[in-house]
Amino acid sequence: MQAIKALEKAGYFLKRHGANHDIYCNIELRCSIPLKRHSFNKNDLRYIQKEIEQGAKK
């Protein structure tokens, strides 16, 4: 839930659902981030936050 809130706060939206991942996109940054749907842990949250920061730098 925290990852979804962080993505939406950074301007990402849900593009599509996959079998194992949901894809969040930011059209302004032309960046997409896959978000795992199962077995989500703190390392995955750090990965999402890092990807958001890198997308903002582009």
Side-chain angles (χ1 to χ4, degrees), residues 17-22 34-38:
H17 292 287
N20 296 318
H21 292 79
D22 291 335
L35 181 65
K36 287 175 32 175
R37 296 180 81 187
H38 309 285

Side-chain angles (χ1 to χ4, degrees), residues 11 13-14 16 18-19 24 28 33 37 42 45-46 49:
F13 67 94
L14 178 65
R16 66 178 175 86
Y24 281 82
E28 295 174 6
I33 298 177
R37 296 180 81 187
K42 289 183 182 182
L45 181 58
R46 275 190 249 141
Q49 291 172 340

